[in-house]
Amino acid sequence: MSLPKSKNVNVELYVGGISKIQNIKNPLKLSANESALGPSPNVINIFKEKLDLKKYPDGNSENLRGMISRNFKIDQDQIIIGAGSDEIISLICQSFISKNDEVIVAEQSFLMYRIYSQLNGAIVKYAKNIENKFSVDETLKLVSEKTKIVFIANPNNPTGTYICDKEMIRLRKNLPENILLMVDDAYAEYVTKKDYKSGLEIFNTSLNTVVCRTFSKIYGLANLRIGWGFGSKDIIQSANLFRPPFNISGISEKAGCLALEDHEWLEKNIVHNNKWSSILFDKIKLKKIKTNEPVANFFLLNFDNAKLNSEEAFKVFLGNNILLRKMDTYGIKNSLRLTVGNEEENTKFIEILEKNF
Ligand SMILES: Cc1ncc(COP(=O)(O)O)c(C=O)c1O
C-alpha cells in the first residue's frame, strides 16, 4: 500500500518546559514567563456574561484592531491579529520566506523564529550573543545576498538582556533595505531602562520592519492566545493572505480590548515586577548564581560558581513544588530560567534558595 507522504522538512521540534508534577495539584510554575498577577479583573467579567458561542467571531477583529490603534496611536490597517504572537511569526515566515532563503537569529533566542523559518524552507544562520546579549556586529557579519529576515527579541528570551535604542537603530541602518527586520516586543512593557525603546516606538514609520506584540505576558492572557503584528500596509496585507479567517475567538478579542483599556492594572504589574525582580536579583546574586540585571519578568540563572549545579538546583526546587525552566533545548549549559511570580511564589522561591544555597 502506498500511503500519502507528508512533506520532508528539516525542523527541530519545539519542546516546552514541564508544566505538571505528578501527584501535585498546583505546582508553583515559574518556568514560562507568564504574568505574575494574571489578567485585569475586567477581563474576568466576560466569563460571567451570557456568551453567544454559536456565531463566528469577526474575522477581521475590527474592535481589537481599533482599540490597539487608539491605544498606541497607529494606523488600524497596519495591524494584524494572531493566535498569540507565535502565529504572527509564522505568518511573516510564510509570506516572506522562499526555499533556501537565509534568516539570521541570535543563537540563544526564542526558538520559534528558527522553527517557523525551517518549516518554510529557510537556512538558519546563528549569530553569537556577546555576554548573553544580542550582538549587532555578529548579526551583520552573517548578512548575505540570500538573507531574507533578521529576527530579534528585545528584551531577549531566554537571556533576559536587551539592546538599547541606539543599537537597534544601528542594526536597521546597517542592514540592506531588502532585508525584513522582525522585532519581537513580547516583554517591552516591563522595561523601565532609560536607554530602551520598544520596536513599536522606534519603527513606527519603517517600511521594512515588522513588530510583534503579545497579550500572553504582562496582560496575563497566555491561555486565550492573542498577539498582534505591526508593519507597513504592504507587509500586513501579505501576511493576511496566509491568516486563517477566524484565527482568534470572539472571547479572546473582547478580552484583549478590556485588557488594553485597564491602564491601572498594567501599571500595577510594572510596579510589582520592578519590586520583585529587584529583590530576587539581590538574593540570587548573594548565592553566587550568575544572572542578568532585571529587565523583563524573568532571569537566566547560571550555576557555574554556585553551591549546586543546574540539575541539582532543578531537582531541589521541583522537590518543593517549584518548576523552573531547563535550558537544554536552548543549548545553554548549567542554567535554568526563573519567572518572577506573585508575592507568595517569590517568597517560597527565596525560602528554598536560602535553605539550599
Ligand atoms: C520572545 C517571545 N516571543 C513570543 C512568544 C510567544 O508568545 P505568544 O504566547 O504570544 O505566542 C514568547 C513566549 O514565551 C516569547 O518569549
Side-chain angles (χ1 to χ4, degrees):
M1 194 167 43
S2 167
L3 292 173
K5 274 209 175 94
S6 64
K7 260 201 286 193
N8 196 2
V9 277
N10 186 13
V11 67
E12 59 197 279
L13 272 185
Y14 179 79
V15 184
I18 309 172
S19 59
K20 287 183 188 134
I21 312 177
Q22 243 184 358
N23 303 329
I24 304 286
K25 231 181 168 188
N26 289 312
L28 306 189
K29 186 173 168 232
L30 300 178
S31 57
N33 299 349
E34 291 149 336
S35 149
L37 305 180
S40 154
N42 298 349
V43 172
I44 306 298
N45 288 335
I46 303 176
F47 297 94
K48 296 179 188 152
E49 288 170 17
K50 199 164 164 261
L51 298 164
D52 194 355
L53 297 179
K54 74 177 178 211
K55 297 228 172 83
Y56 281 107
D58 168 15
N60 289 320
S61 302
E62 294 284 347
N63 287 340
L64 182 54
R65 284 172 46 244
M67 179 62 84
I68 292 170
S69 156
R70 288 189 296 281
N71 197 67
F72 295 99
K73 301 190 174 44
I74 51 179
D75 186 342
Q76 185 163 334
D77 293 338
Q78 293 183 253
I79 300 166
I80 181 170
I81 304 294
S85 49
D86 222 28
E87 188 174 43
I88 302 295
I89 301 164
S90 170
L91 293 174
I92 291 295
C93 288
Q94 289 177 66
S95 47
F96 280 87
I97 294 173
S98 306
K99 198 165 169 40
N100 293 331
D101 279 345
E102 292 177 2
V103 304
I104 305 175
V105 301
E107 58 183 350
Q108 291 149 357
S109 69
F110 187 49
L111 298 172
M112 296 318 295
Y113 310 142
R114 64 183 74 168
I115 292 178
Y116 286 129
S117 296
Q118 286 164 346
L119 280 172
N120 287 285
I123 297 157
V124 182
K125 301 276 171 178
Y126 296 99
K128 267 195 211 145
N129 284 341
I130 303 290
E131 290 174 358
N132 268 344
K133 228 173 151 170
F134 182 97
S135 163
V136 172
D137 293 319
E138 291 297 325
T139 302
L140 292 175
K141 273 188 208 167
L142 299 178
V143 169
S144 81
E145 284 188 349
K146 288 187 177 171
T147 310
K148 190 47 92 52
I149 309 180
V150 170
F151 293 93
I152 173 170
N154 198 32
N156 185 41
N157 173 20
T159 56
T161 51
Y162 75 104
I163 65 165
C164 68
D165 46 0
K166 283 194 185 131
E167 276 296 272
M168 185 64 94
I169 292 165
R170 185 165 80 84
L171 172 66
R172 180 64 273 181
K173 271 202 176 139
N174 286 283
L175 285 175
E177 279 177 355
N178 65 344
I179 294 179
L180 181 68
L181 175 65
M182 179 156 207
V183 182
D184 185 341
D185 272 358
Y187 302 96
E189 297 89 348
Y190 288 107
V191 190
T192 52
K193 300 276 176 196
K194 287 207 174 72
D195 62 351
Y196 173 84
K197 279 202 179 76
S198 69
L200 198 62
E201 289 169 286
I202 299 176
F203 296 113
N204 55 0
T205 57
S206 172
L207 295 177
N208 50 10
T209 306
V210 63
V211 175
C212 62
R213 291 232 162 180
T214 182
F215 283 90
S216 301
K217 305 300 173 185
I218 206 159
Y219 293 103
L221 294 171
N223 196 281
L224 290 185
R225 312 303 304 128
I226 326 160
W228 54 281
F230 169 79
S232 70
K233 287 185 186 167
D234 283 349
I235 293 176
I236 297 304
Q237 250 174 26
S238 8
N240 259 323
L241 296 177
F242 292 85
R243 187 176 61 82
F246 304 108
N247 59 332
I248 73 160
S249 71
I251 296 169
S252 297
E253 186 185 5
K254 199 158 187 189
C257 289
L258 290 170
L260 263 192
E261 243 173 23
D262 196 343
H263 297 277
E264 242 175 72
W265 189 254
L266 180 71
E267 197 47 43
K268 196 172 166 177
N269 274 271
I270 296 169
V271 170
H272 173 90
N273 193 63
N274 281 341
K275 174 183 160 186
W276 280 104
S277 58
S278 150
I279 295 174
L280 286 165
F281 180 65
D282 291 343
K283 299 277 181 198
I284 291 164
K285 261 192 6 190
L286 278 178
K287 300 297 175 186
K288 297 204 165 54
I289 299 168
K290 275 191 274 175
T291 192
N292 53 286
E293 246 194 278
V295 175
N297 66 333
F298 60 93
F299 292 97
L300 180 64
L301 311 177
N302 174 285
F303 293 83
D304 285 353
N305 301 327
K307 193 170 154 194
L308 305 179
N309 66 31
S310 63
E311 199 51 44
E312 292 162 340
F314 182 83
K315 281 191 190 138
V316 164
F317 284 106
L318 190 68
N320 287 282
N321 306 340
I322 298 177
L323 275 175
L324 301 181
R325 177 72 193 258
K326 289 190 175 185
M327 287 288 105
D328 316 356
T329 45
Y330 287 92
I332 306 179
K333 294 209 174 95
N334 205 14
S335 301
L336 298 171
R337 197 186 61 200
L338 161 75
T339 306
V340 176
N342 61 28
E343 181 169 349
E344 187 194 333
E345 291 164 335
N346 297 331
T347 308
K348 176 89 184 180
F349 172 85
I350 292 168
E351 183 198 316
I352 307 304
L353 181 79
E354 305 270 296
K355 245 195 227 162
N356 293 279
F357 282 84

